[in-house]
Amino acid sequence: MHEGPQNISKKPVLQALKPGMVCSNEPGFYKTGEFGIRIENLVVVSEPQDVGGERMMMSFETITLVPIDLNLVELFLVDRYRARLAEYLSCAGTRHDFAAGG
């Protein structure tokens, strides 16, 4: 995850995450010398919430809501995302058939 100066990294981070900051989340899979695939989404940092642990925790809300081309991905990996996108579009008065792959 990056888009500085805040980020989540193994490297030292000089800027702490704060509610309202936007970062990019870029999960991917790369097979050395053969291929790679990455999905890039923007996320916004939430206000800290009590989740029943030792301290309040922030979370991330995905704010990039666009269809993902399903030709190169396993469908089960994006089912939750597709459900959220369909719900968002239905609230906006738009209908789309994601089963058709688009």
Side-chain angles (χ1 to χ4, degrees):
M1 183 176 291
H2 66 83
E3 303 305 324
Q6 76 281 5
N7 65 66
I8 296 175
S9 173
K10 294 177 185 178
K11 300 175 185 176
V13 177
L14 302 176
Q15 173 64 58
L17 293 174
K18 296 179 182 177
M21 286 183 161
V22 174
C23 302
S24 64
N25 182 14
E26 303 175 14
F29 174 80
Y30 302 93
K31 186 156 184 158
T32 304
E34 294 190 39
F35 63 88
I37 185 169
R38 180 174 76 193
I39 298 173
E40 184 169 339
N41 288 315
L42 295 180
V43 297
V44 63
V45 180
S46 72
E47 291 287 339
Q49 297 179 15
D50 183 356
V51 294
E54 296 176 14
R55 59 184 172 171
M56 303 284 276
M57 299 292 289
M58 291 185 276
S59 63
F60 301 99
E61 177 187 352
T62 300
I63 57 175
T64 302
L65 296 172
V66 296
I68 295 172
D69 184 348
L70 303 177
N71 291 321
L72 296 175
V73 297
E74 296 288 341
L75 293 181
F76 74 91
L77 297 173
V78 293
D79 281 345
R80 284 178 40 190
Y81 177 84
R82 290 172 59 202
R84 179 163 181 247
L85 179 58
E87 179 182 348
Y88 175 82
L89 291 175
S90 69
C91 290
T94 305
R95 182 163 159 50
H96 185 81
D97 183 11
F98 293 105

